[in-house]
Amino acid sequence: MEIAIMGAGLSGLACAITLKKNGITPTIFEKRSKVGDRFVNGEVLLDIFSRPVHDCIASLSDEYGIYLQPTSNIQRMELFSKNEQAIIEGHLGFTNVRGRERDSFESQLERQTKSTIHFNSQKTYEQLLSEYTHVVIATGDGAYAKETRNFREDFSVSIQGATVEGSFDRYTVMAWVDYDLSPYGYCFLIPYSEKEACISLAIPDLPKNADLNIRDLWKLFYQKVRSQLKQELPITDQFQITHYPIGICLKPRIGNTFYIGNCFGTMMPFMGFGQYTSILSGVYAAYDLCGMGNYEELMAPLRQSYEDSLVLRRAMEQISNEGLDRIIRSLHGYWGEKLFQTKTINPLKVASYLMRPFLKMKKGVTS
Ligand SMILES: Cc1cc2nc3c(=O)[nH]c(=O)nc-3n(C[C@H](O)[C@H](O)[C@H](O)COP(=O)(O)OP(=O)(O)OC[C@H]3O[C@@H](n4cnc5c(N)ncnc54)[C@H](O)[C@@H]3O)c2cc1C
């Protein structure tokens, strides 16, 4: 069996590590000159988004032998709507760095990979398929799946972000769901350390957002964070992503081609989280290749999570700032903490089931 992995990101590297642990050495093809050779940004792993798993980092090491050191664990989340705020405390998840930094998640995975990585690869999927018995597509977006008509794109999102200097509590993450700042989207402040943080603004490219200018909204958001934190927050690095497709492939495996990570559809529509699911998809594809499971079956719960998350995203598009104020107010204190820390139910799954009839009714009214 000769396996080519296209893309040395989270899912591709997790796949390579798992294959090697089980006696198969794949070859990795990465289009960039080194692992993580892109913008730097801060990301989070929130426990509430990975239920039934309560600690992604522990689960990855104990169950799959994949070892990741986050930047910090999250002990406090400050959530803001236009007029309300909720503070939630407890162990809520982890923050981590992505991109070209030495301790980014992809760099950490590269150090655990024992397979050859061919950098600056120009190989197309078709070339790899003619040279290898199996190809794992891990290129980080649905482009190839789309080209082969194996991808349902649900919407796209545009994101602007920056690294800022200041004084931060590394255990606190801040998030804004205020449609004056990011209509139908969200904003985050994720610290890298006591002195640096990543701020970002994500806006879905909906028809009702067609006239928006992300640069104008960015100015508003940047000003908002500075006044809220009462700090200057000089920008030292910036990134912008336009029309990033969010969708899911129709078949996770076609013939001897496996679609993993965002090529499968591991980036969840509600808030764009996808790190943990991307890593899992790489592990599961490797299990199938090693005869230890069936990729399609293993991915079924992640497909369901995607669909649940899409319901929440669609619901979010129906809510106004007043509705968001009510939600944030109800999350403050005891109930928010209970919700974020409950171990017996998956709150997002429950919310998505509760939202379905509401969305059906809305659809009926508008169609
Ligand atoms: C701005 C932003 C913020 C995010 N924040 C969060 C967050 O806070 N929490 C969370 O859980 N998730 C977050 N996500 C989602 C998460 O980062 C992704 O779901 C995850 O990185 C996907 O992993 P992947 O392996 O599919 O792709 P990646 O890790 O992006 O890897 C893809 C790799 O493929 C390479 N490649 C591309 N094309 C080719 C080609 N033709 N040939 C060879 N190699 C190729 C790329 O260079 C890259 O190295 C965020 C995403 C973005 C864009």
Side-chain angles (χ1 to χ4, degrees), residues 6-12 29-32 36 38-39 41-45 98 106 121 123 138-140 144 159 190 239 241 244 260-263 266-267 272-276 278:
M6 200 177 176
L10 297 190
S11 60
F29 294 86
E30 167 56 50
K31 86 167 175 194
R32 296 182 197 266
R38 56 156 200 143
F39 60 90
N41 70 312
E43 300 195 359
V44 291
L45 291 162
R98 296 293 309 276
E106 45 271 72
S121 167
K123 295 250 185 195
T139 48
Y144 265 108
I159 307 172
I190 302 171
F239 66 90
I241 301 169
Y244 187 86
I260 67 170
N262 287 353
C263 302
T266 46
M267 189 152 157
F273 296 137
Q275 298 191 99
Y276 179 62
S278 292

Side-chain angles (χ1 to χ4, degrees), residues 20 36 69 82 113 124 147 164 167 234 242 246 264 269 271 349:
K20 188 76 185 171
Q69 290 297 344
K82 186 171 179 186
T113 308
T124 62
E147 219 174 283
V164 292
S167 168
T242 45
I246 309 280
F264 165 82
M271 298 288 266
K349 204 172 198 41

Side-chain angles (χ1 to χ4, degrees), residues 95 134 187 322:
T95 54
H134 296 78
C187 309
E322 289 70 35

